[in-house]
Amino acid sequence: MEGLTDAQVKAFTEAFEVFDKENIGKIPTKELGNLMRALGQIPSEAEVKYWIGYHDKALLTLKEFLGLMARKLKDSEYEEDIKEAFKVFDKDGKGFVLVSDLKHIMKNIGEKVTDEEIADLLKEVETKKDGKVYLNDFLKLLKDSQALL
């Protein structure tokens, strides 16, 4: 399976087989969250609902599950990249960036965005209304928006 090591495929397959109580090569989609947690993942309810809805059926095959786990692990790497990028702007390591700094960064670095686009983003990430964007809120926004894609 692309994106997974042989050891990961083996471990995920073994865990899948534990949840495949009828030995049919499929598990009920309602067991997906439990299976992921058994493998040390911590999926949000939104993620689990997304994957269940994405497959739109009562049973999930091993191949589908391995594909899901490959994407999940890739997303985890993406989250680490976001954290590293956030640290560049969070010079004091306090876990937040000032809204004014974020506005400046968005207007002057990379793809040009409008004031309206910036305002829309800030509505979502400035949850405490204290002029700061917190890393955890920013990550949650990204995760929730990915789960909805």
Side-chain angles (χ1 to χ4, degrees), residues 96-107:
F96 66 83
V97 175
L98 295 175
V99 169
S100 58
D101 291 345
L102 186 59
K103 283 181 183 178
H104 176 77
I105 292 163
M106 292 177 70
K107 284 197 85 65

Side-chain angles (χ1 to χ4, degrees), residues 1-9 12 65-67 69-71 73:
M1 172 62 58
E2 188 175 328
L4 297 174
T5 67
D6 291 341
Q8 288 171 323
V9 170
F12 296 159
F65 176 67
L66 292 175
M69 289 305 293
R71 179 169 176 196
L73 294 176

Side-chain angles (χ1 to χ4, degrees), residues 3 16 22 24 32 38 42 46 48 52 55 60 62 67 69-70 81 83 88-89 92 94 97-98 106 116 121 127 144:
F16 184 91
E22 296 181 25
I24 59 172
L32 180 59
I42 306 171
V48 173
I52 290 172
H55 290 287
L60 185 72
L62 174 61
M69 289 305 293
D81 291 343
K83 286 179 181 178
V88 170
F89 302 107
D92 299 326
K94 294 182 178 180
V97 175
L98 295 175
M106 292 177 70
E116 183 179 323
L121 173 70
T127 59
D144 289 349

